[in-house]
Structures are given as C-alpha cells and as structure tokens.
Amino acid sequence: MSLVYASLNHPQRVPLAAEAHSRPFLQLSAPESLSHLAVYLRDQVEANQHGIVQHGLLRELCKHFGVSAPGIEAKHFFHDFGGFRLKWECHTEFATYTFSQRHERTLSIEQAFAEVPLHQVPQQWLLALQGQVMVAAHVVLEKAAADTPPVFSEYFEGKLLTSSKVLQGGEIWTDFLIQADGFSRFLVRDIDLRDMQGGRLVQRILEIETYRMMALLGLPQAQQAVPALNAIESDLATLTAAMVEVDDGGHSVHPTPADDEQILQRITGLAARIEKISLQNSYRFSASQAYFRLVKARIEELRETRVEGVPTIGEFMERRLAPAMDTCTSVARRQEALAERIAHTNDLLRTRIGIVQEQQNRQILESMNARAAQQFRLQQAVEGLSVAAISYYTVGLLGHVGSALKELGLPINPELATGILVPVCAGLVWLSLRQLHKRVHSSAH
C-alpha cells in the first residue's frame, strides 16, 4: 500500500522528518575563504519578534542581489549569489550568515584572509547590523602538505596560538582573539581530508566560536549579580541578628510585635529583590550552560590530537571558558541558596509572630473567662434576691386566688394559706433555679 496520499500522513510527519536535514553543512573544497556573522537581537526586539526581524535582514540582503528570500517560517536558507555562496540559519536567539568563496588560483594565507567574500556584501546592509553582531570570523581553508612547518603566528595578532590535528587529516590554527579588523581568524589546513569533511570541519569550528560567545553572555550578568547578592546577604544577616537580641546579662531579648512586623516587611522586600535577580538571570544562565554543552560536544566531534608546543582547542576552552561557566553556575546556585535562606527566615519569623498572636488570643480568652466567672458569682450573689422576688409575687398571686375562693363560699383562710405557701413557694423556686443552672452548665460543656 502506498503512502503518497497526504491524508494518510500525520500533519507533522514531513516537517519532523525534514528537521534532521534542515541545516546541512557547506560543501567546501580548498582553497576557500569564508566570512561568518552571528546576529543577536535579544536586547533590541521582543522574543516573539526575533524571527520576523531576522527574516527582514535576510530579505534586504536578497533584495539587493535580486534573489527571492525564503518564507517567514524558514529556519535555513542557502543560495549561490555568483561571487559568493550564502548559508543562513535562524536559531532561537541569533541568526548566522556564512559567506563562502572558492578561489580559482592558489593564494597565500595572508591574501586569502584579505580576499574574503564579505567584501562583496553591501556596506549599507552591514551598517544596518550596528550593535547586533555577536560573532564575526574569517576562515581560510587551504590545501597543505603534511610536512609543511607549522609556523603561522605571523597571521594572528595573539601571542598564544591554539592548534590541533583533527579528523585524522585536518589541522586548525587560531588565537580566538578579535583582530584589528574586528574579525577573529581561523586557519584550516586540508592535509588529507576526505570529501565533505572540509565543510563539516569548518562548520564545527564556526559553531564552537558562535556557541562560545553565546555562552559567555551569562558572565557579565553573573558579575553584575554578585554585588547585589552580597548586599542581600548582608541585609539578611542583619535582620536575622535583629530577630533575637542579647542584653548585657547574656539573655535573649525578643523584639516587640511592632519590631517583628517591621522585620517581616524588610524580609519580604529581600525576597522580592532576590526573586527579581533570579528572573533576570535564570534564562541567561540556563542558556549559557546549554551553549557550553554544545561547545564541548563539538570539540569532541573534532577528535583532536596535539600539535607539539601549542594547546588544543579543548584545553583552551577548559582553561578559559570553563571557569566563566563555573562562575555562572556558582552565582545561580548562590541565588537559589539565598532565596531558600530568606524563605526559611521568613517562615521562622512568621511562626514566632503566630505564636505571639496565639498568646495574645489566649490572654483575651482568659480575660473573657474571668469576666464570665465574675458575672456568674454576681449572679449567684443576687440569686437569693431573685428567689425572694419570685416567691413574693407567686405567693401574692396565690393569696388573691385564696381570697377569691373564700368569696365563693369555700372554707379557706387566705392569710393562713398565704403563710403556709411562703416556704413552699420559696423552696420550689429555689429548686427550679438550681435545675435551670445545671442544664445551662451541662449544655455549655
């Protein structure tokens, strides 16, 4: 059964299958010169506008040469402009422009660095990248013999060169410094590279340089965060000490509730400050670690062997890039630890304030119980008067009843009956009030 019908495929099948081939390497053959630019726009545009602006820059370049630009959804573009070839890639935070030019005649290394394809790019378009270029590099790929003496310091301004033999047939020389022309330089020697290896090797080198610079973007933020973290730590230590003060006798003296509330407000302010710093730095630190992992992965893919007398690219990165990444990691961990300490201090203070409030509530309840007991004793004091008053009115009513019965002819002496009913009524009223008090007391419990 054939699957040529589009209705049989998942909507994402074709795009996902093409993703593995979306960024192919350049097919290079020595001698060639390349210019590489990485354009970073995060500080100038919103994240959701990054792709649109990057496509706009590519569209302007294509328009100058009368070439159709790719659609807005494209992440990769390759075209032969005649005098040079362009490979464009749009990443999450940046876009890369790699211009390559094959030389028809053999040039010296200095001439190859002088005749780079970027000279054919319109200057007006380059000026539009003001403040946005993160990486600018020139690469020379030359055909070389294995017995050529490795003396290339004259082509680099740096005193310390980095070199290694890679892929069992290539050699890389660089100083990882920005030269006087504003570009870093890489010399790639094709000693015995197989077909396609030259393009893969150059791509790995440019990726190492690009990801290295992107990883280092976290270092300035880490350095700027250190003084702020020091100030927060100092304030937190002061507030923690203020939570429990010690008098001259060595006894702990707890601050008043008003002091606790003031301390709580200041701790809340510290929590807001550390949260703000974390929000500002968390993405950059995470991105730096991701780029650093990519740098190490690309270096491993080179399969370096040492050129005697100079450090390898892996050694250079381990000595220069790794400490910067360790700084970012330590600052990120310090932010997390400081936020946890602030939260812990906040919890302790809130717990103490809660205990004080419970004690205040207990005192209020005790005072209410005392007032209730006083009212109960007062009620007991006047209970005798209540019995006398109720008995008086009850006996009075019964006396009227007796007088009425006497008028009806019954042999009743109202005065005698009233005298007899006085203790009886008083006793019944007293018993009734006692029973009522017992029921109220039992229902309360």
Side-chain angles (χ1 to χ4, degrees), residues 123-139:
Q123 292 297 308
Q124 184 178 0
W125 182 83
L126 288 174
L127 293 176
L129 303 179
Q130 183 176 3
Q132 300 171 349
V133 175
M134 177 59 64
V135 178
H138 291 319
V139 182

Side-chain angles (χ1 to χ4, degrees), residues 277-296:
I277 295 175
S278 298
L279 288 175
Q280 291 173 342
N281 298 335
S282 60
Y283 175 81
R284 189 71 268 153
F285 290 164
S286 299
S288 293
Q289 291 301 319
Y291 289 127
F292 183 48
R293 288 192 295 269
L294 287 173
V295 170
K296 293 192 292 186

Side-chain angles (χ1 to χ4, degrees), residues 340-353:
E340 291 178 358
R341 288 170 54 192
I342 292 175
H344 183 60
T345 304
N346 191 14
D347 292 340
L348 289 177
L349 185 57
R350 287 184 180 276
T351 300
R352 195 173 77 181
I353 292 175

Side-chain angles (χ1 to χ4, degrees), residues 151-227:
V151 180
F152 303 104
S153 58
E154 59 182 299
Y155 307 116
F156 301 92
E157 298 176 5
K159 295 181 179 179
L160 178 62
L161 295 184
T162 299
S163 177
S164 60
K165 297 178 181 179
V166 296
L167 301 181
Q168 299 180 350
E171 198 171 278
I172 304 172
W173 289 84
T174 183
D175 58 359
F176 286 105
L177 287 177
I178 298 176
Q179 312 296 308
D181 59 356
F183 289 80
S184 54
R185 285 187 172 186
F186 296 88
L187 174 61
V188 180
R189 305 180 69 224
D190 181 359
I191 299 174
D192 190 21
L193 292 175
R194 297 180 178 87
D195 292 340
M196 306 295 183
Q197 278 191 318
R200 288 199 294 268
L201 177 56
V202 170
Q203 177 171 315
R204 294 294 178 263
I205 295 171
L206 293 177
E207 287 178 345
I208 289 172
E209 176 67 0
T210 302
Y211 294 143
R212 176 180 75 95
M213 294 298 294
M214 294 300 298
L216 286 171
L217 276 176
L219 182 59
Q221 291 191 216
Q223 294 171 337
Q224 293 173 5
V226 170

Side-chain angles (χ1 to χ4, degrees), residues 33-78:
S33 294
L34 299 95
S35 297
H36 177 78
L37 300 176
V39 180
Y40 177 74
L41 298 175
R42 183 177 176 85
D43 297 334
Q44 286 84 8
V45 300
E46 298 292 336
N48 57 352
Q49 297 294 318
H50 174 261
I52 298 176
V53 178
Q54 293 286 11
H55 278 82
L57 293 174
L58 176 63
R59 187 166 52 252
E60 290 298 322
L61 181 62
C62 292
K63 181 180 178 181
H64 177 83
F65 292 97
V67 175
S68 298
I72 193 67
E73 72 284 351
K75 300 297 182 182
H76 172 267
F77 175 72
F78 175 83

Side-chain angles (χ1 to χ4, degrees), residues 306-435:
R306 178 179 296 279
V307 174
E308 292 301 326
V310 292
T312 64
I313 295 177
E315 292 172 345
F316 176 85
M317 294 299 174
E318 190 64 28
R319 188 172 62 251
R320 302 296 179 88
L321 181 60
M325 296 300 98
D326 291 340
T327 299
C328 295
T329 301
S330 64
V331 171
R333 291 177 179 174
R334 186 181 178 188
Q335 288 178 175
E336 296 176 359
L338 189 54
E340 291 178 358
R341 288 170 54 192
I342 292 175
H344 183 60
T345 304
N346 191 14
D347 292 340
L348 289 177
L349 185 57
R350 287 184 180 276
T351 300
R352 195 173 77 181
I353 292 175
I355 293 174
V356 172
Q357 291 177 345
E358 290 180 0
Q359 292 175 347
Q360 292 175 348
N361 293 337
R362 186 181 300 111
Q363 293 174 356
I364 293 174
L365 291 176
E366 290 176 353
S367 64
M368 293 175 62
N369 290 335
R371 287 195 297 269
Q374 292 175 355
Q375 292 177 355
F376 181 71
R377 287 192 294 270
L378 180 61
Q379 181 180 355
Q380 287 180 333
V382 300
E383 185 175 343
L385 297 177
S386 300
V387 171
I390 295 173
S391 300
Y392 172 78
Y393 287 109
T394 302
V395 171
L397 292 175
L398 292 176
H400 290 298
V401 173
S403 299
L405 293 177
K406 181 179 179 181
E407 293 294 331
L408 291 175
L410 294 177
I412 295 176
N413 186 347
E415 290 78 7
L416 180 61
T418 299
I420 295 172
L421 288 174
V422 168
V424 175
C425 289
L428 292 175
V429 169
W430 182 80
L431 290 174
S432 298
L433 290 176
R434 293 293 296 175
Q435 291 295 326

